[in-house]
Amino acid sequence: MQVKVKKINNFKGTIEVPPDKSISHRSVMLGSLCKGKVAIKNFSKGEDCRNTLKIFEQMGVNVKFQDEMNFEISSNGLTKPENILYAGNSGTTTRLLSGILAGQNFESRIEGDISLSQRPMKRIIEPLKLMHADISSLNNDFKTPLIIKPSDLHGIDYITPIASAQVKSCILFAGLFADGKTTVTEPYISRNHSEKMLEYLGANISVNNKTVKIEKSELIPKELIIPGDISSAAFFFVAASIIPNASIIVRNVGINETRTGIIDVLIKMGANLEILNKRTGCGEEVSDIKISYSENLKGIDISGEIIPRLIDELPIIAVLASQAEGQTIIKDAQDLRNKESDRIKSVVREFSKLGVDIEEREDGFIISGKTKLKGDTIIETYHDHRLAMSAYVAGLICAKEICINDFEWVNTSFPEFLELMNILIEE
Ligand code: S3P
């Protein structure tokens, strides 16, 4: 599907952001490990999370739907799936699921789409093997398809070379089935939704700074309410900051401190942002965010421990930086090359076409602003939802119309994107 975007003059109103993708995945995965009924409320409509749900249904989990986003799951332990487990475009599904499957008494196989099949899995295969898991990649290339066979897991003390919530969660989930204790230590703290949900469901888990410890645990069934996704909200935050006269409120935004790097960056760059109505539910903090146009954005340096707190927001931050005075330098973000696309290459290539002054670096990029974006071009999306949505926001301030190819990739995380954009554009 090709989508056309043109310059707008009005961006106003209130929207509620859709459910958090990371927490939705974890709700089904950990909810399925509880013995008993778990009500899941406000589950993501994105294809990635739907694939996770289907996979657990294939392993005997019973789902009673109230509607698409609200349902009850019940399980008496996972059972051998008859078919291949299809993770689609989702690295989170593949990596977290591998940790759970390593501890089951049946063989399984995970595979996905062309983008997923190029993403590195060595980062989870290595620690799982240290735990004595029987996991291999079909083509011996440390990529999907992955084959996982039964084995007796042992706890390990693992130091991760990169700050990755997917790697950390994979090891912690395997640790639920391992003898002895398992610890994971990261160079910087990555998103901690797994730790929070495991603690909420009564797991034997403790956190000490950058180290998380877990032991074999029985999870207690409890209701799981998913907060809104700050990574989806980020597209609206940036649009409101760069479109003259814009003023919006985004409701129900998850503001877990391991995800709020985008808010810190917006404030540091001079955005007009207010956090309203802070509240807590199921161990996660939520708020409403009011944000309006800022004429005086300025470039900043983004590196080090903030990177995992905004890793998914870097493409949209590139758009923001193009409208800020001076240079924005993004460093230590090498792992962007391992996302749904090589996000350093794809962001630089596609945003240059729009007129963004952006330079590729091995571990990030340098953007110089303020630039009048010209548009009048066709953007490719490389199987990458966040690239597509970031280009869309840039299109809203381009002098001439832009076309974005294969916009349907947005559906992997955020099928409601255009509908919500139109509410704010039309009001
Ligand atoms: C995620 C962790 C991040 C992020 C991804 C979702 C998660 O990946 O990019 O979109 O839900 O744990 P890494 O942990 O590999 O950085």
Side-chain angles (χ1 to χ4, degrees):
M1 173 180 77
Q2 194 184 57
V3 161
K4 292 184 165 54
V5 194
K6 50 178 192 249
K7 191 168 184 155
I8 57 158
N9 301 312
N10 205 13
F11 198 69
K12 284 201 165 56
T14 300
I15 53 165
E16 179 160 334
V17 77
D20 189 275
K21 182 156 87 87
S22 292
I23 304 178
S24 291
H25 283 299
R26 287 157 171 82
S27 70
V28 165
M29 293 185 181
L30 296 180
S32 297
L33 299 181
C34 296
K35 297 265 156 51
K37 291 180 178 158
V38 172
I40 296 182
K41 298 197 168 150
N42 199 36
F43 186 79
S44 167
K45 287 188 187 174
E47 284 162 4
D48 283 5
C49 295
R50 297 284 144 187
N51 281 328
T52 294
L53 183 58
K54 269 191 233 149
I55 284 173
F56 280 82
E57 285 186 273
Q58 276 177 264
M59 296 194 291
V61 175
N62 186 44
V63 185
K64 218 162 87 194
F65 284 98
Q66 187 184 330
D67 57 47
E68 200 186 351
M69 295 169 82
N70 300 285
F71 47 83
E72 186 181 84
I73 59 175
S74 51
S75 163
N76 253 326
L78 303 177
T79 54
K80 182 173 167 52
E82 279 179 14
N83 296 307
I84 290 168
L85 304 172
Y86 183 71
N89 191 251
S90 175
T92 311
T93 306
T94 308
R95 297 194 178 113
L96 273 59
L97 179 64
S98 297
I100 293 175
L101 292 176
Q104 305 307 309
N105 60 4
F106 52 77
E107 182 175 335
S108 50
R109 169 171 167 162
I110 314 175
E111 53 184 65
D113 69 11
I114 181 180
S115 150
L116 187 72
S117 68
Q118 287 155 17
R119 296 179 68 183
M121 294 298 153
K122 194 173 185 174
R123 55 183 64 194
I124 56 149
I125 293 175
E126 271 183 356
L128 285 177
K129 275 188 184 287
L130 289 173
M131 297 178 83
H132 299 185
D134 187 342
I135 177 167
S136 54
S137 71
L138 186 69
N139 305 316
N140 288 321
D141 55 359
F142 292 104
K143 304 215 164 119
T144 56
L146 298 176
I147 316 283
I148 301 166
K149 295 183 182 165
S151 65
D152 293 325
L153 298 183
H154 296 271
I156 50 167
D157 294 313
Y158 193 70
I159 298 175
T160 60
I162 44 165
S164 161
Q166 294 184 355
V167 173
K168 173 176 63 178
S169 304
C170 169
I171 301 167
L172 293 176
F173 289 2
L176 282 173
F177 304 97
D179 281 340
K181 70 166 177 49
T182 297
T183 66
V184 187
T185 304
E186 311 187 86
Y188 300 126
I189 298 173
S190 64
R191 67 189 67 188
N192 62 7
H193 304 300
S194 296
E195 296 90 302
K196 288 203 175 226
M197 197 177 289
L198 281 161
E199 193 184 340
Y200 173 75
L201 296 174
N204 199 339
I205 185 167
S206 58
V207 181
N208 184 2
N209 194 16
K210 292 174 192 147
T211 300
V212 188
K213 181 173 113 186
I214 194 157
E215 286 174 73
K216 231 181 215 166
S217 313
E218 283 275 309
L219 303 184
I220 304 155
K222 272 191 184 176
E223 177 179 78
L224 295 166
I225 305 173
I226 322 287
D229 198 326
I230 190 167
S231 297
S232 299
F235 301 105
F236 302 102
F237 295 165
V238 171
S241 299
I242 61 175
I243 297 168
N245 302 317
S247 178
I248 64 166
I249 293 178
V250 186
R251 288 228 167 98
N252 194 29
V253 182
I255 49 162
N256 176 315
E257 73 281 2
T258 60
R259 296 285 297 280
T260 45
I262 178 68
I263 292 184
D264 296 354
V265 160
L266 279 160
I267 291 172
K268 210 167 160 200
M269 288 177 86
N272 292 314
L273 180 147
E274 265 179 85
I275 300 177
L276 311 168
N277 303 325
K278 272 195 191 177
R279 54 212 186 259
T280 307
C282 298
E284 293 279 354
E285 223 183 346
V286 173
S287 77
D288 302 330
I289 309 262
K290 186 173 179 204
I291 184 155
S292 53
Y293 175 61
S294 173
E295 221 180 328
N296 301 312
L297 295 170
K298 50 183 191 311
I300 59 170
D301 288 358
I302 303 173
S303 64
E305 69 181 326
I306 198 171
I307 294 292
R309 295 178 56 233
L310 47 63
I311 187 76
D312 290 340
E313 286 63 78
L314 288 168
I316 191 64
I317 287 174
V319 176
L320 178 71
S322 76
Q323 300 310 301
E325 209 63 62
Q327 274 195 336
T328 294
I329 302 176
I330 294 162
K331 283 199 277 200
D332 305 325
Q334 174 94 26
D335 211 33
L336 273 187
R337 296 193 183 274
N338 297 316
K339 298 294 175 185
E340 285 80 335
S341 68
D342 174 340
R343 279 192 181 146
I344 297 182
K345 255 199 174 35
S346 52
V347 160
V348 170
R349 185 182 303 147
E350 298 308 309
F351 293 1
S352 300
K353 289 189 200 166
L354 299 169
V356 175
D357 182 347
I358 182 166
E359 194 187 307
E360 178 173 348
R361 287 291 154 102
E362 195 41 39
D363 63 345
F365 26 75
I366 299 179
I367 299 141
S368 304
K370 241 176 176 176
T371 317
K372 281 204 162 61
L373 303 187
K374 54 184 172 40
D376 198 17
T377 187
I378 299 175
I379 297 292
E380 301 299 337
T381 45
Y382 312 101
H383 319 108
D384 191 337
H385 55 132
R386 297 201 198 278
L387 182 68
M389 292 184 275
S390 302
Y392 189 99
V393 171
L396 297 174
I397 56 159
C398 283
K400 289 198 175 146
E401 186 174 272
I402 66 165
C403 295
I404 307 174
N405 280 341
D406 304 320
F407 199 74
E408 64 278 5
W409 284 108
V410 163
N411 295 338
T412 60
S413 70
F414 195 175
E416 309 89 335
F417 178 78
L418 286 179
E419 196 187 315
L420 292 179
M421 267 294 164
N422 287 333
I423 292 175
L424 299 174
I425 291 170
E426 280 166 12
E427 265 198 28

